[in-house]
Amino acid sequence: TSRTATVNFALAEVTAANMQRAFNGGDIATTLGVVTFEPPDASEAPTPVMLGWESLDGLERWVFRQAMQVGTVDIARKRAPDKATLPMSFRCTKPAGAATFKFMHDEDYAA
């Protein structure tokens, strides 16, 4: 009677734009060369995003048309050479008139 699609990954760059994705919105400002991120107020409606991924060889592609980050923002800080990543868990929802997600691959791709 129902389906749930969830996409989990960790972003390799902890940037203001990626923090905005992790918190489903918020404001980014630059003052005197310093970039800051302010999370959204709890009263603000979350902002869904579209996610896309393509393999390096271009033979495989995933498109998630509407998603909300539902995971915990938990950045693991480690000593070098490990890097901090920004893990996210997106719940995919079905926009009106479209599939939840689409998988595409080159017809000549041999799995």
Side-chain angles (χ1 to χ4, degrees):
T1 59
S2 68
R3 291 187 181 133
T4 301
T6 304
V7 180
N8 299 304
F9 53 86
L11 297 176
E13 296 178 350
V14 181
T15 64
N18 285 340
M19 292 295 284
Q20 191 176 45
R21 287 179 189 88
F23 283 93
N24 295 312
D27 296 315
I28 297 172
T30 304
T31 305
L32 300 173
V34 177
V35 179
T36 60
F37 167 71
E38 181 72 30
D41 289 332
S43 62
E44 290 181 42
T47 304
V49 297
M50 178 185 275
L51 302 173
W53 177 85
E54 183 174 275
S55 62
L56 288 175
D57 60 9
L59 297 177
E60 185 178 345
R61 187 174 305 110
W62 289 83
V63 177
F64 302 90
R65 292 182 171 96
Q66 186 171 293
M68 296 287 266
Q69 208 286 115
V70 295
T72 302
V73 178
D74 186 13
I75 303 169
R77 301 285 182 182
K78 300 177 182 179
R79 292 181 179 206
D82 292 332
K83 67 166 73 177
T85 59
L86 187 55
M88 294 189 200
S89 180
F90 283 88
R91 177 80 32 85
C92 301
T93 57
K94 184 179 189 301
T100 302
F101 66 90
K102 187 173 185 178
F103 166 75
M104 297 162 275
H105 68 91
D106 187 304
E107 292 296 324
D108 297 328
Y109 178 69

